[in-house]
Amino acid sequence: RRLSSRRLGISTSGSAARLPRGQAPSAAMAPQYYDTVFSEGAKVKTVKDVQAEKFISSFAQHLKRQGRFEIPKWADYVKTSKAKELPPLDHDWLYTRAASMVRKVYIRNGTGVGGFRKVYGGQIRRGTCTNKFCKSSGKIARYVLQQLEEMGLVEQDENGGRKITKEGQRELDTVAVQAAAEDEEEKDDE
């Protein structure tokens, strides 16, 4: 059964459809407005309270400063997927990938190498044929998870995949609080 604008109580006269009384326009429910309403005055305590982009960049810098994460020789010329034509242009791309992966393990325990291959995969261009999904490199995901295990941030889960350790959760939360503080200082300077 089709829902018409008359049944929904929406007037379609004019150039834009009008909403019934008491309903806010869709722009008011846009994520940027929604986030600003709830983020004002909120204290940052965990990784989930910080925007992904800000956390990943600050944790990548944290990993680089620590020096415990080893960068292999092949990192300069390896492609991240068979769908890619060139290796990453950023020399610190492995720190960024590690920060992104540890955040994903924090948010969703039990993610393994196969899951990360799907997450970081993309469309492979096949010339005149249609594009198809292609998984990313398993070697990179496996190497990053092994390095994070050696650092004590993640551990093997008994149900498969990896999970965050207590020490890892503590370290990630402190970096998240620092990243939020840096973001607040930048907003205050403007």
Side-chain angles (χ1 to χ4, degrees):
R1 208 165 128 167
R2 290 181 75 191
L3 294 176
S4 67
S5 58
R6 188 177 300 152
R7 281 192 190 142
L8 293 174
I10 300 172
S11 168
T12 56
S13 62
S15 61
R18 293 190 182 105
L19 294 172
R21 284 195 173 162
Q23 286 189 354
S26 62
M29 297 307 287
Q32 64 266 20
Y33 300 115
Y34 185 81
D35 290 344
T36 56
V37 169
F38 289 102
S39 65
E40 290 182 17
K43 283 195 163 197
V44 174
K45 295 181 181 177
T46 65
V47 173
K48 295 179 182 180
D49 299 335
V50 182
Q51 291 180 351
E53 181 182 332
K54 299 205 183 313
F55 174 77
I56 289 171
S57 62
S58 63
F59 195 75
Q61 289 298 318
H62 175 74
L63 286 175
K64 190 173 180 180
R65 267 186 266 122
Q66 270 188 334
R68 293 193 299 167
F69 192 87
E70 296 177 21
I71 300 294
K73 289 184 226 174
W74 48 261
D76 291 335
Y77 54 86
V78 71
K79 297 192 309 180
T80 56
S81 170
K82 70 176 188 176
K84 302 289 184 185
E85 292 183 8
L86 295 171
L89 297 175
D90 184 17
H91 293 292
D92 297 331
W93 69 271
L94 202 56
Y95 293 114
T96 307
R97 176 65 61 96
S100 174
M101 287 176 70
V102 77
R103 180 182 177 275
K104 287 194 180 295
V105 170
Y106 182 98
I107 291 172
R108 186 176 182 196
N109 283 333
T111 308
V113 175
F116 283 118
R117 288 188 69 194
K118 288 180 201 164
V119 167
Y120 295 110
Q123 296 289 320
I124 185 166
R125 298 174 61 205
R126 305 185 305 153
T128 58
C129 301
T130 57
N131 295 349
K132 281 178 36 177
F133 179 78
C134 171
K135 291 182 179 178
S136 70
S137 169
K139 166 75 176 179
I140 296 170
R142 198 174 311 108
Y143 180 80
V144 168
L145 288 173
Q146 288 169 354
Q147 287 294 309
L148 293 172
E149 270 187 57
E150 286 179 16
M151 293 171 65
L153 299 177
V154 297
E155 63 186 6
Q156 299 248 347
D157 193 7
E158 59 271 358
N159 299 327
R162 304 295 202 286
K163 66 179 182 180
I164 202 87
T165 62
K166 292 291 182 188
E167 296 81 23
Q169 184 175 352
R170 187 179 315 116
E171 188 170 340
L172 266 65
D173 288 341
T174 55
V175 171
V177 170
Q178 291 169 356
E182 290 173 5
D183 187 39
E184 287 297 321
E185 288 175 6
E186 289 176 8
K187 285 183 181 178
D188 291 341
D189 290 343
E190 292 176 1

